[in-house]
Amino acid sequence: VYVNEYLWKILEGEKPLGTMTSIIDLTGLQLSVLRKRDLILFAKLTVSTMDNHFPQRAHKTLVINAPKWFNTLYKLVSPLMRESTKAKIEIHSRGKKQDEVLKKYLSQEACDSLPKTFWAKKKGGRKKDRKEREGEEEAEEKEEEEPAGSSFDTKLEQELRSYVVAHIKDAGKKMATA
């Protein structure tokens, strides 16, 4: 809630009717997650908080890199949702259509900042041998590694953290740490 408050009051304060497009990346999600009650509870709490406090702010929620079984699960749950909520949700698996949807709803700057895992692999050209693929995978892993102490490097991240910490203290709570 505090992160969204920061977004709407500080970053987008001049746009009282602004909306957001949320991206939920399901890469690596396995069916076994349904046995983890704490994750299910967290997901329910997040959805209900957004629905209760920011319903007018949601433009689209793009669920991307969804495993094949996720659509079946969504079909079971979606009758419990309001029609207006369902109209804002799109579920996609990795591929050309997902790429088109991301480009449709996001600015070029936002698209450029998305991780490579959000995009379909480029097709065409010759097949790469195992050494080339392994070399690319190692390079991608290095790009994803975060240098020590860089978790709040940008001014925006520092401001956001300060805002959230102040509101948590005002509420008499402590911030959980990993």
Side-chain angles (χ1 to χ4, degrees):
V1 172
Y2 298 127
V3 171
N4 284 310
E5 288 295 323
Y6 178 81
L7 291 171
W8 300 126
K9 289 182 180 177
I10 308 299
L11 294 181
E12 298 289 331
E14 297 172 6
K15 299 177 185 176
L17 300 176
T19 60
M20 69 178 164
T21 298
S22 301
I23 300 174
I24 300 172
D25 181 12
L26 299 184
T27 298
L29 184 70
Q30 297 177 358
L31 198 53
S32 62
V33 75
L34 298 176
R35 292 189 299 250
K36 298 181 180 183
R37 293 184 190 263
D38 55 336
L39 291 177
I40 300 298
L41 181 61
F42 176 75
K44 285 180 182 178
L45 181 62
T46 301
V47 169
S48 68
T49 299
M50 292 302 292
D51 195 38
N52 291 331
H53 297 283
F54 306 101
Q56 72 284 5
R57 296 289 195 172
H59 173 66
K60 277 287 182 196
T61 298
L62 304 175
V63 179
I64 64 167
N65 298 324
K68 292 179 183 178
W69 57 265
F70 189 80
N71 280 317
T72 303
L73 179 65
Y74 180 74
K75 286 178 185 176
L76 292 171
V77 175
S78 64
L80 304 173
M81 299 174 161
R82 292 189 302 233
E83 288 301 319
S84 60
T85 301
K86 288 192 282 189
K88 295 177 182 181
I89 298 172
E90 291 189 25
I91 300 170
H92 300 280
S93 295
R94 184 181 323 271
K96 185 179 176 183
K97 185 171 186 225
Q98 176 176 292
D99 289 358
E100 290 169 1
V101 167
L102 288 169
K103 290 174 184 174
K104 175 182 176 182
Y105 289 110
L106 303 177
S107 68
Q108 185 61 48
E109 181 182 3
C111 286
D112 291 344
S113 69
L114 291 175
K116 290 179 184 178
T117 58
F118 280 33
W119 304 99
K121 301 282 186 220
K122 291 188 176 163
K123 295 181 180 175
R126 67 175 180 80
K127 280 194 168 186
K128 295 177 181 166
D129 65 26
R130 193 184 69 180
K131 277 189 173 184
E132 286 177 302
R133 287 191 308 267
E134 287 173 358
E136 285 180 358
E137 288 171 6
E138 286 176 21
E140 285 177 10
E141 286 173 12
K142 285 180 184 176
E143 283 178 12
E144 292 172 4
E145 288 176 8
E146 192 175 72
S150 68
S151 60
F152 297 108
D153 277 353
T154 69
K155 185 177 183 216
L156 176 64
E157 290 169 323
Q158 292 168 0
E159 289 174 1
L160 175 59
R161 186 174 195 286
S162 296
Y163 182 87
V164 170
V165 168
H167 280 76
I168 289 173
K169 285 181 182 176
D170 287 347
K173 306 282 183 187
K174 290 185 178 182
M175 187 149 69
T177 57

